[in-house]
Amino acid sequence: MNEYGVVLESGAVRFERLLPGPIERVWSYLTESEKRGLWLASGVFDLRVGGQTEMLFKHSDITDETPPEAYREVHENGVRSTGTITRYEPPRLIAFTWGGGGEPESEVEFELVPKGEKVLLVLTHRKLANKAEMTSVSGGWHMHLGLLEDLLTGAPRRGFWSRFKALDAEYAARYADLPEPGQG
């Protein structure tokens, strides 16, 4: 399975990971603050359509690596993001708005599909405003989903900041020839 995100349409990327099950275990790492905080961001989700999401992205909780200087503040103190749950079908699907804070909101959807003893996680991030946002989001999801995979498989936790710059450059190259969302 390809670890890289694929562009679905203008302003939308999708990632797939085949993870060890059962589905309820994977679901808990998406919806429970303490578990989600180990690979993405902690924070309470009001688990219902229309419920609010709150996430604290504090990278010092997910990696021991020293961040680049430009990310030191976020790494140490974190940044909050809020959203609204738009779809909720436990334990198979949760979708919510993402971002805000002066930026247009995008939408994130996690879908879980049982595959024998494993679970296919399909993450789709839509309504990304431009190629720069698509690049940033893609590199971030690539790394965060890798951390989730490490947690669920019991593998040693992979580096975050040590891969950050390279992945950002790889996605920028992958998306270089794409038109800006809404322009093609």
Side-chain angles (χ1 to χ4, degrees):
M1 180 170 295
N2 185 353
E3 285 193 350
Y4 285 88
V6 296
V7 175
L8 293 181
E9 62 209 34
S10 181
V13 294
R14 180 181 69 212
F15 290 83
E16 295 183 359
R17 293 291 188 278
L18 193 59
L19 303 168
I23 193 171
E24 293 81 8
R25 178 175 178 237
V26 179
W27 181 253
S28 71
Y29 278 86
L30 301 178
T31 59
E32 295 175 20
S33 175
E34 186 175 305
K35 290 180 180 178
R36 189 179 350 91
L38 297 171
W39 67 276
L40 180 64
S42 61
V44 176
F45 282 19
D46 180 3
L47 295 172
R48 61 183 175 83
V49 172
Q52 296 301 295
T53 64
E54 183 177 305
M55 290 189 283
L56 175 63
F57 290 87
K58 189 173 179 188
H59 290 84
S60 60
D61 290 344
I62 63 172
T63 183
D64 295 328
E65 293 182 333
T66 302
E69 192 56 42
Y71 293 93
R72 185 168 306 282
E73 175 85 14
V74 169
H75 177 84
E76 294 172 2
N77 299 320
V79 64
R80 292 194 182 280
S81 175
T82 58
T84 303
I85 295 176
T86 56
R87 291 183 66 194
Y88 183 67
E89 302 167 20
R92 297 187 185 274
L93 189 135
I94 186 168
F96 49 92
T97 60
W98 181 277
E103 297 292 320
E105 282 190 337
S106 56
E107 295 177 354
V108 173
E109 177 182 280
F110 290 98
E111 182 178 9
L112 301 179
V113 181
K115 298 283 184 186
E117 299 279 315
K118 298 194 179 261
V119 176
L120 177 65
L121 179 147
V122 179
L123 179 149
T124 307
H125 199 144
R126 291 186 172 87
K127 296 186 179 179
L128 297 164
N130 52 52
K131 284 197 296 186
E133 188 177 20
M134 288 174 63
T135 298
S136 174
V137 159
S138 293
W141 282 125
H142 189 118
M143 290 186 292
H144 285 288
L145 291 173
L147 293 173
L148 175 61
E149 187 175 9
D150 294 344
L151 278 168
L152 294 173
T153 62
R157 186 161 55 178
R158 65 189 75 186
F160 187 88
W161 296 116
S162 58
R163 291 275 295 134
F164 176 78
K165 194 172 188 176
L167 273 173
D168 200 50
E170 287 178 46
Y171 278 104
R174 286 172 174 265
Y175 299 163
D177 294 334
L178 295 175
E180 285 290 342
Q183 295 181 354

